[in-house]
Amino acid sequence: MQTISVKCKLPVTVELRCEIDRTLQGFADACNQILEVARSEDCWNTTKLHHKVYKPVREATGLKANHVCQAIRRVIGNAKSVKQIHRFKPTSISLDVRTFQYIEELQTVGVTLMCGRVKFKLSIGNYQLALLKGQSPTAATLNKTRRGDYYINICVELPTESIGKTPKVIGVDLGRRDIATTSTGETWSGKQIQSVRDRYSKVRANIQSKRTRSARRLMRRLFGKEHRFQKWLNHNISRQLISSAKQLGAALAFEDLTGIRDNLNEKPRSKTERRRINNWAFYQLRLFVGYKANIAGVLLVFVPPAYTSQTSDADIFTQSRVNPIGMVRFLSVDIVGLNMMLI
């Protein structure tokens, strides 16, 4: 089974906005208090940290019991996934089976806030309805955007096709000039996304230099446009890669570019080049391909990046990795010129 998140919009009345904001603020305060204790006592074990912070955090914030438990898990999870946590903001709250319920017949969700259980009508389309049909989700995340809109990301499990042996491998070379190039000759140019990023960078610099109220309003309107375009582009590329692999009955071999930004930033580069390197969204593409491959039953392997753009032999595809966030398990394969060939 593959777990994915279904984003659903929540129409919220003015009265309930205050209650949601109060719960979000309480959850953020709880996370920050838990983080301080974890740092001061160097305790990063979920069970041990629970015994240290549960009662004082619940008394200080007024949160429900399960909200505090989720806050502890949020702190530990973030500490494992990022290098340094500065401060939690009141933008989201994690929900579990005790604080969340999806009612398919009414297309509503029940969410436990600080004031109690509240039901919200979902504002969704056919895409979300198809993914939620027949599901009994037990986890979700309630989010508030910078524009003040509320969304709930519902975790659902989709059936996956079995991954069988394949005699073929499609090599995928990642880059900035061309986002992806396959050994079958397909290529996706990075010229458009680079142009978009450069344009938004100039616009942001111009707006920020004005420092007026209208400039700040414009910045809020522009926020996220660049990110959404990059996400849309990577979703399209990942879909096409999986479709090609599925049609040919082939596996996909990706370069493992872990740590490439650190290596590139050590070299002397201009400010523009540093920005372009740090905006390179190859990891997002890798995640999108990962979960789509798991659902479609396409084998995905990672190989050392050295010489992959020059070599056409299958003996370079011999390494496997496990996705660091646990979304997809990549299987070990022995393809040293034996049972796989690069196509």
Side-chain angles (χ1 to χ4, degrees), residues 175-191:
R176 282 172 45 207
R177 180 175 297 177
D178 291 323
I179 299 174
T181 303
T182 69
S183 55
T184 57
E186 288 183 288
T187 183
W188 291 267
S189 174
K191 185 177 180 180

Side-chain angles (χ1 to χ4, degrees), residues 162-218:
S162 59
I163 300 177
K165 293 183 178 180
T166 172
K168 301 176 182 179
V169 175
I170 298 177
V172 183
D173 183 61
L174 304 176
R176 282 172 45 207
R177 180 175 297 177
D178 291 323
I179 299 174
T181 303
T182 69
S183 55
T184 57
E186 288 183 288
T187 183
W188 291 267
S189 174
K191 185 177 180 180
Q192 185 183 14
I193 185 61
Q194 193 62 70
S195 174
V196 169
R197 287 197 181 281
D198 289 345
R199 177 165 58 85
Y200 275 112
S201 177
K202 291 179 181 179
V203 170
R204 282 195 298 268
N206 277 333
I207 295 173
Q208 287 171 348
S209 65
K210 298 183 186 299
R211 298 186 178 182
T212 62
R213 186 177 297 176
S214 61
R216 288 194 293 271
R217 285 199 298 266
L218 180 57

Side-chain angles (χ1 to χ4, degrees), residues 23-42:
T23 306
L24 290 174
Q25 186 63 59
F27 189 79
D29 292 341
C31 289
N32 290 320
Q33 291 179 38
I34 294 165
L35 180 61
E36 289 180 8
V37 174
R39 282 176 173 168
S40 63
E41 302 194 17
D42 194 24

Side-chain angles (χ1 to χ4, degrees), residues 14-291:
V14 177
E15 297 79 13
L16 289 178
R17 282 177 178 270
C18 297
E19 291 298 332
I20 294 178
D21 292 344
R22 189 162 71 96
T23 306
L24 290 174
Q25 186 63 59
F27 189 79
D29 292 341
C31 289
N32 290 320
Q33 291 179 38
I34 294 165
L35 180 61
E36 289 180 8
V37 174
R39 282 176 173 168
S40 63
E41 302 194 17
D42 194 24
C43 178
W44 302 102
N45 178 275
T46 304
T47 304
K48 292 180 180 178
L49 189 59
H50 178 94
H51 292 302
K52 293 177 181 292
V53 302
Y54 175 77
K55 287 184 178 179
V57 167
R58 191 174 180 192
E59 290 173 0
T61 60
L63 287 173
K64 302 293 185 182
N66 288 92
H67 288 158
V68 177
C69 295
Q70 288 297 320
I72 296 170
R73 294 189 183 97
R74 172 76 67 88
V75 171
I76 297 297
N78 281 22
K80 292 179 179 178
S81 61
V82 299
K83 293 181 180 178
Q84 184 178 4
I85 308 172
H86 297 287
R87 187 169 180 80
F88 289 91
K89 297 181 180 180
T91 56
S92 68
I93 180 172
S94 302
L95 306 169
D96 61 9
V97 67
R98 296 177 181 86
T99 54
F100 162 78
Q101 180 187 21
Y102 168 64
I103 307 171
E104 184 177 358
E105 296 78 17
L106 304 175
Q107 286 306 317
T108 60
V109 291
V111 177
T112 300
L113 304 176
M114 292 176 70
C115 64
R117 179 62 67 96
V118 180
K119 290 185 178 180
F120 298 95
K121 187 75 175 178
L122 295 176
S123 178
I124 55 178
N126 291 330
Y127 174 74
Q128 289 90 344
L129 288 171
L131 291 174
L132 292 171
K133 186 176 182 180
Q135 295 282 346
S136 299
T138 57
T141 304
L142 179 63
N143 299 291
K144 182 181 180 181
T145 67
R146 288 179 63 131
R147 293 183 177 182
D149 297 325
Y150 297 94
Y151 290 87
I152 187 165
N153 295 327
I154 304 174
C155 296
V156 299
E157 291 188 346
L158 300 181
T160 58
E161 298 184 21
S162 59
I163 300 177
K165 293 183 178 180
T166 172
K168 301 176 182 179
V169 175
I170 298 177
V172 183
D173 183 61
L174 304 176
R176 282 172 45 207
R177 180 175 297 177
D178 291 323
I179 299 174
T181 303
T182 69
S183 55
T184 57
E186 288 183 288
T187 183
W188 291 267
S189 174
K191 185 177 180 180
Q192 185 183 14
I193 185 61
Q194 193 62 70
S195 174
V196 169
R197 287 197 181 281
D198 289 345
R199 177 165 58 85
Y200 275 112
S201 177
K202 291 179 181 179
V203 170
R204 282 195 298 268
N206 277 333
I207 295 173
Q208 287 171 348
S209 65
K210 298 183 186 299
R211 298 186 178 182
T212 62
R213 186 177 297 176
S214 61
R216 288 194 293 271
R217 285 199 298 266
L218 180 57
M219 281 292 290
R220 283 194 291 269
R221 287 203 301 272
L222 292 177
F223 178 80
K225 280 191 174 182
E226 179 183 343
H227 172 74
R228 288 193 296 272
F229 178 73
Q230 176 70 77
K231 192 174 181 180
W232 171 84
L233 187 64
N234 278 337
H235 268 303
N236 277 278
I237 295 173
S238 61
R239 274 195 292 266
Q240 292 176 57
L241 284 171
I242 296 300
S243 177
S244 297
K246 192 73 175 174
Q247 288 177 2
L248 295 172
L252 286 173
F254 265 66
E255 297 173 290
D256 181 12
L257 299 179
T258 303
I260 190 171
R261 285 195 182 94
D262 296 333
N263 297 332
L264 291 175
N265 285 330
E266 289 177 357
K267 302 175 183 178
R269 294 181 183 273
S270 67
K271 183 178 178 180
T272 301
E273 278 301 304
R274 278 182 173 273
R275 174 179 57 77
R276 288 175 175 175
I277 290 170
N278 292 327
N279 286 340
W280 184 16
F282 67 88
Y283 186 68
Q284 186 185 70
L285 177 61
R286 162 177 162 171
L287 293 182
F288 290 172
V289 172
Y291 83 80

Side-chain angles (χ1 to χ4, degrees), residues 302-318:
F302 288 99
V303 301
Y307 311 113
T308 53
S309 300
Q310 305 171 19
T311 308
S312 59
D313 261 327
D315 57 0
I316 62 173
F317 300 111
T318 58

